[in-house]
Amino acid sequence: MQMDRIKSELVDKLATLLQRSGRITEHLRDTPPSDWEELATFREDDEVAEALDDITRAEIEDIKHALRRMDSGDWEYCESCGDEINPERLRALPTTPLCIRCASEREKR
Ligand SMILES: [Zn+2]
């Protein structure tokens, strides 16, 4: 398992996401236009930006969590049952803290 390579990919991705989230926050702080028609468009953009922001924030948290798990040496182990996570699964989903079994149990609930 080439954790170092995956880790540097996650660090890169995190930087991109933080940048994007900064841009979204800037948009959300823009002063609303005074023209009501423009205001309607502005509000729609706001909603899109907010939804995007939530997704970006969730991704950022997932990556930070995975990086912490890498640093503590827990990355390859399931957070729920402690079993080793299948390396193929980790390669495909490097931010997952759960083995396939626990992840599918969680989805059922
Ligand atoms: Zn598990």
Side-chain angles (χ1 to χ4, degrees), residues 9-60:
E9 279 172 15
L10 285 182
V11 170
D12 282 353
K13 200 174 173 204
L14 182 62
T16 311
L17 288 172
L18 286 172
Q19 228 172 26
R20 191 198 296 171
S21 136
R23 272 202 302 274
I24 295 169
T25 311
E26 264 168 44
H27 171 83
L28 290 174
R29 281 210 204 103
D30 276 350
T31 325
S34 47
D35 182 88
W36 72 268
E37 260 179 82
E38 274 175 41
L39 190 63
T41 318
F42 183 84
R43 292 277 177 243
E44 274 168 34
D45 282 355
D46 251 13
E47 277 166 34
V48 173
E50 267 166 35
L52 256 180
D53 200 26
D54 284 346
I55 296 167
T56 309
R57 248 196 297 255
E59 267 185 277
I60 289 172

Short mmCIF file of all heavy atoms in Angstrom, two decimals, residues 9-60:
data_model
loop_
_atom_site.label_atom_id
_atom_site.label_comp_id
_atom_site.label_asym_id
_atom_site.label_seq_id
_atom_site.Cartn_x
_atom_site.Cartn_y
_atom_site.Cartn_z
N GLU A 9 -1.59 12.97 -2.55
CA GLU A 9 -2.75 13.29 -3.40
C GLU A 9 -3.86 13.94 -2.58
O GLU A 9 -4.50 14.89 -3.02
CB GLU A 9 -3.30 12.02 -4.07
CG GLU A 9 -2.51 11.62 -5.30
CD GLU A 9 -2.93 10.25 -5.84
OE1 GLU A 9 -4.00 9.75 -5.45
OE2 GLU A 9 -2.17 9.69 -6.66
N LEU A 10 -4.06 13.40 -1.37
CA LEU A 10 -5.11 13.96 -0.51
C LEU A 10 -4.75 15.37 -0.07
O LEU A 10 -5.62 16.24 -0.01
CB LEU A 10 -5.32 13.07 0.72
CG LEU A 10 -6.06 11.75 0.51
CD1 LEU A 10 -6.24 11.03 1.83
CD2 LEU A 10 -7.43 11.97 -0.12
N VAL A 11 -3.48 15.61 0.21
CA VAL A 11 -3.04 16.95 0.61
C VAL A 11 -3.29 17.94 -0.53
O VAL A 11 -3.81 19.04 -0.31
CB VAL A 11 -1.55 16.93 1.04
CG1 VAL A 11 -1.02 18.34 1.22
CG2 VAL A 11 -1.38 16.14 2.33
N ASP A 12 -2.96 17.52 -1.77
CA ASP A 12 -3.23 18.37 -2.95
C ASP A 12 -4.71 18.67 -3.08
O ASP A 12 -5.11 19.80 -3.33
CB ASP A 12 -2.79 17.65 -4.24
CG ASP A 12 -1.28 17.73 -4.41
OD1 ASP A 12 -0.62 18.43 -3.61
OD2 ASP A 12 -0.77 17.08 -5.34
N LYS A 13 -5.52 17.61 -2.93
CA LYS A 13 -6.96 17.78 -3.09
C LYS A 13 -7.50 18.72 -2.02
O LYS A 13 -8.36 19.56 -2.29
CB LYS A 13 -7.65 16.41 -3.00
CG LYS A 13 -9.02 16.45 -3.61
CD LYS A 13 -9.67 15.10 -3.68
CE LYS A 13 -11.10 15.27 -4.15
NZ LYS A 13 -11.95 14.16 -3.74
N LEU A 14 -6.98 18.56 -0.81
CA LEU A 14 -7.41 19.42 0.29
C LEU A 14 -7.14 20.89 -0.03
O LEU A 14 -7.98 21.75 0.20
CB LEU A 14 -6.69 19.00 1.58
CG LEU A 14 -7.06 19.75 2.85
CD1 LEU A 14 -8.52 19.54 3.21
CD2 LEU A 14 -6.19 19.28 4.02
N ALA A 15 -5.94 21.17 -0.59
CA ALA A 15 -5.58 22.54 -0.94
C ALA A 15 -6.57 23.11 -1.96
O ALA A 15 -7.04 24.24 -1.84
CB ALA A 15 -4.16 22.59 -1.46
N THR A 16 -6.91 22.29 -2.99
CA THR A 16 -7.86 22.72 -4.01
C THR A 16 -9.22 23.02 -3.40
O THR A 16 -9.86 24.03 -3.71
CB THR A 16 -8.03 21.61 -5.07
OG1 THR A 16 -6.74 21.18 -5.48
CG2 THR A 16 -8.81 22.09 -6.27
N LEU A 17 -9.65 22.13 -2.52
CA LEU A 17 -10.97 22.30 -1.91
C LEU A 17 -11.02 23.54 -1.02
O LEU A 17 -12.00 24.27 -1.01
CB LEU A 17 -11.35 21.07 -1.08
CG LEU A 17 -11.70 19.81 -1.86
CD1 LEU A 17 -11.85 18.63 -0.93
CD2 LEU A 17 -13.00 20.01 -2.63
N LEU A 18 -9.93 23.78 -0.29
CA LEU A 18 -9.90 24.95 0.59
C LEU A 18 -9.96 26.23 -0.24
O LEU A 18 -10.63 27.19 0.13
CB LEU A 18 -8.64 24.94 1.45
CG LEU A 18 -8.64 23.91 2.60
CD1 LEU A 18 -7.28 23.83 3.27
CD2 LEU A 18 -9.71 24.24 3.63
N GLN A 19 -9.28 26.19 -1.38
CA GLN A 19 -9.31 27.34 -2.29
C GLN A 19 -10.73 27.58 -2.80
O GLN A 19 -11.23 28.69 -2.80
CB GLN A 19 -8.41 27.02 -3.48
CG GLN A 19 -7.45 28.13 -3.82
CD GLN A 19 -6.48 27.66 -4.89
OE1 GLN A 19 -6.80 26.76 -5.67
NE2 GLN A 19 -5.31 28.24 -4.92
N ARG A 20 -11.37 26.47 -3.23
CA ARG A 20 -12.72 26.57 -3.77
C ARG A 20 -13.67 27.08 -2.69
O ARG A 20 -14.49 27.95 -2.94
CB ARG A 20 -13.19 25.18 -4.24
CG ARG A 20 -14.45 25.26 -5.05
CD ARG A 20 -15.15 23.94 -5.14
NE ARG A 20 -14.36 22.93 -5.85
CZ ARG A 20 -14.71 21.64 -5.89
NH1 ARG A 20 -15.77 21.21 -5.26
NH2 ARG A 20 -13.98 20.79 -6.56
N SER A 21 -13.53 26.55 -1.50
CA SER A 21 -14.41 26.96 -0.43
C SER A 21 -14.20 28.44 -0.10
O SER A 21 -15.15 29.15 0.24
CB SER A 21 -14.20 26.03 0.77
OG SER A 21 -14.14 26.74 1.95
N GLY A 22 -12.98 28.92 -0.23
CA GLY A 22 -12.70 30.34 -0.03
C GLY A 22 -13.43 31.18 -1.05
O GLY A 22 -14.00 32.22 -0.72
N ARG A 23 -13.43 30.71 -2.32
CA ARG A 23 -14.12 31.46 -3.38
C ARG A 23 -15.62 31.49 -3.12
O ARG A 23 -16.28 32.50 -3.31
CB ARG A 23 -13.85 30.81 -4.74
CG ARG A 23 -12.59 31.32 -5.40
CD ARG A 23 -12.64 31.10 -6.90
NE ARG A 23 -12.81 29.69 -7.25
CZ ARG A 23 -11.80 28.84 -7.37
NH1 ARG A 23 -10.57 29.24 -7.19
NH2 ARG A 23 -12.01 27.59 -7.70
N ILE A 24 -16.19 30.35 -2.67
CA ILE A 24 -17.62 30.29 -2.40
C ILE A 24 -17.96 31.25 -1.26
O ILE A 24 -18.94 31.99 -1.33
CB ILE A 24 -18.05 28.84 -2.04
CG1 ILE A 24 -17.85 27.93 -3.25
CG2 ILE A 24 -19.50 28.81 -1.59
CD1 ILE A 24 -17.99 26.45 -2.93
N THR A 25 -17.14 31.25 -0.23
CA THR A 25 -17.39 32.15 0.91
C THR A 25 -17.38 33.59 0.45
O THR A 25 -18.21 34.40 0.87
CB THR A 25 -16.34 31.91 2.00
OG1 THR A 25 -16.25 30.51 2.24
CG2 THR A 25 -16.70 32.61 3.29
N GLU A 26 -16.45 33.92 -0.46
CA GLU A 26 -16.40 35.28 -0.99
C GLU A 26 -17.71 35.65 -1.67
O GLU A 26 -18.24 36.73 -1.48
CB GLU A 26 -15.27 35.42 -2.01
CG GLU A 26 -14.00 35.99 -1.41
CD GLU A 26 -12.84 35.84 -2.36
OE1 GLU A 26 -13.03 36.12 -3.55
OE2 GLU A 26 -11.77 35.43 -1.91
N HIS A 27 -18.21 34.71 -2.50
CA HIS A 27 -19.48 34.98 -3.18
C HIS A 27 -20.59 35.22 -2.17
O HIS A 27 -21.40 36.12 -2.32
CB HIS A 27 -19.88 33.83 -4.10
CG HIS A 27 -21.27 34.00 -4.65
ND1 HIS A 27 -21.54 34.77 -5.74
CD2 HIS A 27 -22.48 33.55 -4.20
CE1 HIS A 27 -22.85 34.78 -5.95
NE2 HIS A 27 -23.44 34.05 -5.03
N LEU A 28 -20.62 34.40 -1.12
CA LEU A 28 -21.69 34.52 -0.13
C LEU A 28 -21.62 35.85 0.61
O LEU A 28 -22.61 36.33 1.14
CB LEU A 28 -21.63 33.35 0.87
CG LEU A 28 -22.03 31.99 0.28
CD1 LEU A 28 -21.79 30.89 1.30
CD2 LEU A 28 -23.49 31.98 -0.15
N ARG A 29 -20.43 36.44 0.65
CA ARG A 29 -20.28 37.71 1.36
C ARG A 29 -20.53 38.92 0.45
O ARG A 29 -20.59 40.04 0.94
CB ARG A 29 -18.84 37.81 1.91
CG ARG A 29 -18.66 37.01 3.16
CD ARG A 29 -17.60 37.65 4.07
NE ARG A 29 -17.03 36.64 4.94
CZ ARG A 29 -15.84 36.10 4.75
NH1 ARG A 29 -15.07 36.52 3.78
NH2 ARG A 29 -15.39 35.18 5.56
N ASP A 30 -20.69 38.67 -0.89
CA ASP A 30 -20.94 39.79 -1.80
C ASP A 30 -22.18 40.58 -1.37
O ASP A 30 -23.14 40.00 -0.86
CB ASP A 30 -21.19 39.27 -3.23
CG ASP A 30 -19.88 39.03 -3.97
OD1 ASP A 30 -18.83 39.44 -3.44
OD2 ASP A 30 -19.93 38.42 -5.06
N THR A 31 -22.15 41.86 -1.60
CA THR A 31 -23.32 42.69 -1.26
C THR A 31 -24.44 42.40 -2.26
O THR A 31 -24.21 42.40 -3.47
CB THR A 31 -22.97 44.19 -1.37
OG1 THR A 31 -21.62 44.35 -0.96
CG2 THR A 31 -23.89 45.03 -0.54
N PRO A 32 -25.66 42.15 -1.79
CA PRO A 32 -26.76 41.89 -2.71
C PRO A 32 -27.05 43.12 -3.58
O PRO A 32 -26.97 44.24 -3.09
CB PRO A 32 -27.94 41.63 -1.78
CG PRO A 32 -27.35 41.30 -0.46
CD PRO A 32 -26.07 42.05 -0.39
N PRO A 33 -27.38 42.89 -4.88
CA PRO A 33 -27.69 44.02 -5.77
C PRO A 33 -29.01 44.68 -5.36
O PRO A 33 -29.86 44.04 -4.74
CB PRO A 33 -27.80 43.38 -7.14
CG PRO A 33 -28.03 41.94 -6.89
CD PRO A 33 -27.48 41.60 -5.56
N SER A 34 -29.19 45.96 -5.74
CA SER A 34 -30.41 46.67 -5.33
C SER A 34 -31.56 46.39 -6.30
O SER A 34 -32.73 46.42 -5.92
CB SER A 34 -30.14 48.17 -5.24
OG SER A 34 -29.47 48.59 -6.41
N ASP A 35 -31.24 46.11 -7.58
CA ASP A 35 -32.26 45.79 -8.57
C ASP A 35 -32.92 44.45 -8.22
O ASP A 35 -32.23 43.46 -8.02
CB ASP A 35 -31.60 45.71 -9.96
CG ASP A 35 -32.60 45.43 -11.04
OD1 ASP A 35 -33.18 46.39 -11.57
OD2 ASP A 35 -32.80 44.23 -11.36
N TRP A 36 -34.27 44.39 -8.17
CA TRP A 36 -34.90 43.16 -7.67
C TRP A 36 -34.72 41.97 -8.59
O TRP A 36 -34.66 40.84 -8.16
CB TRP A 36 -36.37 43.38 -7.31
CG TRP A 36 -37.30 43.57 -8.49
CD1 TRP A 36 -37.64 44.76 -9.05
CD2 TRP A 36 -37.96 42.55 -9.22
NE1 TRP A 36 -38.47 44.56 -10.11
CE2 TRP A 36 -38.69 43.22 -10.24
CE3 TRP A 36 -38.02 41.16 -9.16
CZ2 TRP A 36 -39.46 42.51 -11.16
CZ3 TRP A 36 -38.79 40.46 -10.07
CH2 TRP A 36 -39.50 41.13 -11.07
N GLU A 37 -34.66 42.24 -9.93
CA GLU A 37 -34.45 41.13 -10.87
C GLU A 37 -33.05 40.51 -10.67
O GLU A 37 -32.89 39.30 -10.67
CB GLU A 37 -34.63 41.59 -12.31
CG GLU A 37 -36.00 41.23 -12.86
CD GLU A 37 -36.18 41.72 -14.28
OE1 GLU A 37 -35.70 41.03 -15.17
OE2 GLU A 37 -36.75 42.81 -14.46
N GLU A 38 -32.10 41.39 -10.55
CA GLU A 38 -30.73 40.91 -10.29
C GLU A 38 -30.66 40.21 -8.95
O GLU A 38 -29.94 39.25 -8.78
CB GLU A 38 -29.76 42.10 -10.29
CG GLU A 38 -29.26 42.46 -11.67
CD GLU A 38 -28.40 43.70 -11.64
OE1 GLU A 38 -27.60 43.85 -10.72
OE2 GLU A 38 -28.57 44.54 -12.55
N LEU A 39 -31.45 40.73 -8.02
CA LEU A 39 -31.46 40.15 -6.68
C LEU A 39 -31.94 38.70 -6.72
O LEU A 39 -31.39 37.84 -6.03
CB LEU A 39 -32.37 40.99 -5.78
CG LEU A 39 -32.31 40.67 -4.27
CD1 LEU A 39 -30.91 40.94 -3.73
CD2 LEU A 39 -33.34 41.48 -3.51
N ALA A 40 -32.96 38.42 -7.55
CA ALA A 40 -33.46 37.05 -7.67
C ALA A 40 -32.37 36.11 -8.15
O ALA A 40 -32.18 35.02 -7.61
CB ALA A 40 -34.67 37.02 -8.61
N THR A 41 -31.64 36.53 -9.19
CA THR A 41 -30.53 35.72 -9.70
C THR A 41 -29.46 35.55 -8.63
O THR A 41 -28.90 34.47 -8.45
CB THR A 41 -29.90 36.40 -10.94
OG1 THR A 41 -30.94 36.90 -11.76
CG2 THR A 41 -29.03 35.44 -11.70
N PHE A 42 -29.21 36.64 -7.93
CA PHE A 42 -28.20 36.62 -6.90
C PHE A 42 -28.54 35.59 -5.82
O PHE A 42 -27.71 34.81 -5.37
CB PHE A 42 -28.08 38.02 -6.28
CG PHE A 42 -27.00 38.14 -5.24
CD1 PHE A 42 -25.68 38.38 -5.61
CD2 PHE A 42 -27.31 38.02 -3.89
CE1 PHE A 42 -24.69 38.48 -4.65
CE2 PHE A 42 -26.31 38.12 -2.94
CZ PHE A 42 -25.00 38.36 -3.31
N ARG A 43 -29.82 35.58 -5.42
CA ARG A 43 -30.26 34.62 -4.40
C ARG A 43 -30.14 33.19 -4.89
O ARG A 43 -29.77 32.30 -4.12
CB ARG A 43 -31.71 34.90 -3.99
CG ARG A 43 -31.90 36.20 -3.25
CD ARG A 43 -31.58 36.06 -1.76
NE ARG A 43 -31.69 37.33 -1.07
CZ ARG A 43 -30.66 37.95 -0.47
NH1 ARG A 43 -29.47 37.39 -0.47
NH2 ARG A 43 -30.83 39.10 0.13
N GLU A 44 -30.48 32.97 -6.18
CA GLU A 44 -30.33 31.62 -6.73
C GLU A 44 -28.88 31.18 -6.68
O GLU A 44 -28.57 30.06 -6.29
CB GLU A 44 -30.83 31.56 -8.18
CG GLU A 44 -32.33 31.31 -8.27
CD GLU A 44 -32.85 31.55 -9.67
OE1 GLU A 44 -32.12 31.28 -10.64
OE2 GLU A 44 -34.00 32.04 -9.79
N ASP A 45 -27.99 32.08 -7.07
CA ASP A 45 -26.56 31.79 -7.01
C ASP A 45 -26.14 31.46 -5.59
O ASP A 45 -25.32 30.59 -5.34
CB ASP A 45 -25.74 32.99 -7.49
CG ASP A 45 -25.75 33.10 -9.01
OD1 ASP A 45 -26.31 32.19 -9.66
OD2 ASP A 45 -25.20 34.07 -9.53
N ASP A 46 -26.72 32.20 -4.66
CA ASP A 46 -26.44 31.98 -3.25
C ASP A 46 -26.77 30.57 -2.83
O ASP A 46 -26.00 29.91 -2.14
CB ASP A 46 -27.32 32.93 -2.42
CG ASP A 46 -26.49 34.02 -1.78
OD1 ASP A 46 -25.32 34.16 -2.18
OD2 ASP A 46 -27.00 34.71 -0.90
N GLU A 47 -27.97 30.12 -3.27
CA GLU A 47 -28.39 28.77 -2.90
C GLU A 47 -27.45 27.73 -3.47
O GLU A 47 -27.09 26.78 -2.80
CB GLU A 47 -29.82 28.51 -3.36
CG GLU A 47 -30.83 29.05 -2.37
CD GLU A 47 -32.24 29.09 -2.95
OE1 GLU A 47 -32.58 28.21 -3.75
OE2 GLU A 47 -32.97 30.04 -2.60
N VAL A 48 -27.05 27.93 -4.73
CA VAL A 48 -26.11 27.00 -5.36
C VAL A 48 -24.79 27.02 -4.59
O VAL A 48 -24.22 25.97 -4.27
CB VAL A 48 -25.89 27.38 -6.84
CG1 VAL A 48 -24.78 26.52 -7.45
CG2 VAL A 48 -27.17 27.21 -7.63
N ALA A 49 -24.33 28.23 -4.27
CA ALA A 49 -23.06 28.35 -3.56
C ALA A 49 -23.13 27.70 -2.20
O ALA A 49 -22.19 27.04 -1.77
CB ALA A 49 -22.69 29.82 -3.43
N GLU A 50 -24.26 27.85 -1.52
CA GLU A 50 -24.40 27.25 -0.20
C GLU A 50 -24.40 25.73 -0.27
O GLU A 50 -23.78 25.06 0.55
CB GLU A 50 -25.67 27.74 0.50
CG GLU A 50 -25.40 28.94 1.37
CD GLU A 50 -26.67 29.65 1.80
OE1 GLU A 50 -27.68 28.96 2.04
OE2 GLU A 50 -26.64 30.89 1.90
N ALA A 51 -25.12 25.18 -1.26
CA ALA A 51 -25.16 23.73 -1.42
C ALA A 51 -23.75 23.21 -1.72
O ALA A 51 -23.31 22.22 -1.15
CB ALA A 51 -26.12 23.35 -2.53
N LEU A 52 -23.06 23.91 -2.63
CA LEU A 52 -21.69 23.54 -2.98
C LEU A 52 -20.78 23.61 -1.76
O LEU A 52 -19.93 22.75 -1.54
CB LEU A 52 -21.15 24.52 -4.02
CG LEU A 52 -21.08 24.05 -5.45
CD1 LEU A 52 -20.51 25.17 -6.31
CD2 LEU A 52 -20.20 22.81 -5.58
N ASP A 53 -21.00 24.66 -0.99
CA ASP A 53 -20.20 24.88 0.19
C ASP A 53 -20.34 23.71 1.16
O ASP A 53 -19.36 23.25 1.74
CB ASP A 53 -20.65 26.19 0.84
CG ASP A 53 -19.58 26.74 1.77
OD1 ASP A 53 -18.40 26.43 1.54
OD2 ASP A 53 -19.93 27.45 2.71
N ASP A 54 -21.57 23.23 1.34
CA ASP A 54 -21.79 22.09 2.24
C ASP A 54 -21.03 20.87 1.77
O ASP A 54 -20.40 20.17 2.56
CB ASP A 54 -23.29 21.75 2.31
CG ASP A 54 -24.06 22.74 3.16
OD1 ASP A 54 -23.40 23.51 3.89
OD2 ASP A 54 -25.29 22.75 3.10
N ILE A 55 -21.11 20.61 0.44
CA ILE A 55 -20.43 19.44 -0.11
C ILE A 55 -18.92 19.59 0.07
O ILE A 55 -18.24 18.68 0.52
CB ILE A 55 -20.78 19.26 -1.62
CG1 ILE A 55 -22.27 18.98 -1.77
CG2 ILE A 55 -19.95 18.15 -2.24
CD1 ILE A 55 -22.77 19.09 -3.20
N THR A 56 -18.42 20.80 -0.27
CA THR A 56 -16.98 21.04 -0.15
C THR A 56 -16.53 20.88 1.30
O THR A 56 -15.51 20.27 1.57
CB THR A 56 -16.64 22.46 -0.67
OG1 THR A 56 -17.21 22.61 -1.96
CG2 THR A 56 -15.15 22.67 -0.74
N ARG A 57 -17.31 21.45 2.20
CA ARG A 57 -16.93 21.35 3.61
C ARG A 57 -16.89 19.90 4.08
O ARG A 57 -15.99 19.51 4.83
CB ARG A 57 -17.92 22.14 4.47
CG ARG A 57 -17.26 23.37 5.09
CD ARG A 57 -18.10 23.89 6.21
NE ARG A 57 -19.40 24.34 5.71
CZ ARG A 57 -19.73 25.63 5.55
NH1 ARG A 57 -18.88 26.56 5.89
NH2 ARG A 57 -20.90 25.98 5.09
N ALA A 58 -17.88 19.11 3.64
CA ALA A 58 -17.92 17.70 4.03
C ALA A 58 -16.69 16.97 3.47
O ALA A 58 -16.07 16.17 4.17
CB ALA A 58 -19.21 17.04 3.52
N GLU A 59 -16.33 17.29 2.21
CA GLU A 59 -15.15 16.66 1.61
C GLU A 59 -13.88 17.05 2.36
O GLU A 59 -13.00 16.21 2.58
CB GLU A 59 -15.01 17.11 0.14
CG GLU A 59 -15.69 16.17 -0.84
CD GLU A 59 -15.43 16.61 -2.27
OE1 GLU A 59 -16.16 17.50 -2.76
OE2 GLU A 59 -14.49 16.08 -2.87
N ILE A 60 -13.80 18.32 2.73
CA ILE A 60 -12.63 18.80 3.47
C ILE A 60 -12.50 18.04 4.79
O ILE A 60 -11.41 17.58 5.15
CB ILE A 60 -12.73 20.33 3.71
CG1 ILE A 60 -12.54 21.08 2.38
CG2 ILE A 60 -11.72 20.79 4.75
CD1 ILE A 60 -12.81 22.58 2.44
#
